[in-house]
Amino acid sequence: MVGDVLDVVDLNKTFGSIKALQNFNFQAKTGEIIALLGPNGAGKSTLMNMIAGFLSPTSGKIMINGESIMKNPEKSKSQIGFLPEGAPIYPDMSVHMFLKYMADLRGASSQDLQDVIEKAHIKEVLPQRVETLSKGYLRRVGFAQSLLGNPKILLLDEPTDGLDPNQKEHMRRLISSMGENKIILISTHLLDEAEAVCSRIIIMAHGKIKIDGTCKEILKATKSKSLEDAFKTLTRD
């Protein structure tokens, strides 16, 4: 299957004396669901914000199909759907108003809007103001907006945070079903989620990649019995 390629090349990001990302390199292709695992402060959210175009690199490149996202940010952003941590959404809008607004910004059709509402299971809260939603529904509304326009690349920062077990199962099935036709990056603290949903795992610490591979490859390389053991071994200070 011919698909799209996301390249992160020699990426560095510093905030004053803090090195958030250091010489970061990886490539992702259509059909891959990749988990970004790491302790707090590892650089996962920073990486996603840079790919999404919200932060500029200190040095290095981020490219989609060989084209720098920094040189053509508008085109690049049109190919990316982003669910950030905390899913900032206008609190005084109704859910439907917010999604319609985002659909208009992204040039999504009315049918596309209806499709993402169905996928995210949020039809029952469309009339509600965003500020009245539970944490779980906020994540689902944020997830719905990330799907608008059928982006080639999905960046999902803690997509199941705040969801109950049934909602988590639904979200994981939905992400898995979309993985064949997209590049999906998931930042998560849930190791079982990485194992259940993702075809590849990148474990990070202190802004660096510690290991990149399938769960089976990581267990073999670290001589670990579980992903939790491998994670502790690779990220222990």
Side-chain angles (χ1 to χ4, degrees):
M1 178 179 63
V2 177
D4 298 285
V5 178
L6 170 68
D7 282 299
V8 173
V9 182
D10 296 332
L11 199 64
N12 290 275
K13 182 63 179 178
T14 59
F15 298 97
S17 62
I18 299 172
K19 296 179 179 179
L21 286 176
Q22 303 180 61
N23 301 319
F24 210 90
N25 291 272
F26 77 93
Q27 183 181 86
K29 298 179 180 180
T30 295
E32 289 190 297
I33 303 177
I34 303 173
L36 301 175
L37 297 180
N40 292 332
K44 305 184 297 296
S45 294
T46 298
L47 175 62
M48 285 199 164
N49 276 287
M50 292 171 72
I51 296 173
F54 290 114
L55 287 176
S56 299
T58 301
S59 63
K61 297 179 181 178
I62 303 170
M63 297 180 290
I64 299 175
N65 297 328
E67 185 172 7
S68 168
I69 68 169
M70 282 72 81
K71 291 182 178 179
N72 197 343
E74 188 171 338
K75 179 181 177 181
S76 299
K77 289 178 182 179
S78 72
Q79 301 176 78
I80 295 171
F82 185 30
L83 172 63
E85 187 177 18
I89 303 173
Y90 298 107
D92 56 340
M93 284 186 171
S94 71
V95 172
H96 187 267
M97 186 185 299
F98 167 72
L99 291 175
K100 178 66 167 61
Y101 171 67
M102 296 302 295
D104 290 343
L105 285 179
R106 296 186 70 93
S109 67
S110 297
Q111 185 58 54
D112 187 21
L113 176 57
Q114 291 305 311
D115 288 344
V116 303
I117 288 169
E118 293 293 333
K119 285 178 180 177
H121 286 189
I122 55 174
K123 189 174 182 179
E124 62 271 26
V125 297
L126 289 178
Q128 287 185 221
R129 287 163 63 98
V130 167
E131 64 186 358
T132 70
L133 297 178
S134 66
K135 185 176 182 180
Y137 270 116
L138 279 173
R139 292 310 278 166
R140 288 155 70 180
V141 171
F143 179 69
Q145 68 78 26
S146 75
L147 301 180
L148 288 167
N150 192 26
K152 299 174 180 180
I153 300 170
L154 268 183
L155 310 175
L156 306 175
D157 200 345
E158 302 288 349
T160 61
D161 184 37
L163 303 187
D164 66 38
N166 290 331
Q167 293 169 343
K168 283 184 180 180
E169 183 181 358
H170 167 254
M171 182 72 79
R172 290 173 180 177
R173 286 200 309 267
L174 183 56
I175 292 170
S176 296
S177 71
M178 295 188 298
E180 183 178 346
N181 300 309
K182 296 183 186 297
I183 297 168
I184 302 179
L185 299 184
I186 300 174
S187 171
T188 180
H189 286 96
L190 304 176
L191 303 185
D192 63 327
E193 187 161 277
E195 289 185 90
V197 177
C198 301
S199 55
R200 180 175 154 200
I201 296 170
I202 295 175
I203 297 181
M204 305 168 55
H206 304 296
K208 297 179 180 180
I209 293 177
K210 292 295 186 177
I211 199 165
D212 178 355
T214 65
C215 185
K216 186 176 181 179
E217 289 168 346
I218 290 172
L219 295 183
K220 182 178 180 180
T222 58
K223 298 179 181 179
S224 301
K225 293 183 178 180
S226 68
L227 185 59
E228 182 178 357
D229 289 341
F231 180 89
K232 289 177 179 178
T233 297
L234 292 164
T235 61
R236 189 178 293 120
D237 289 331

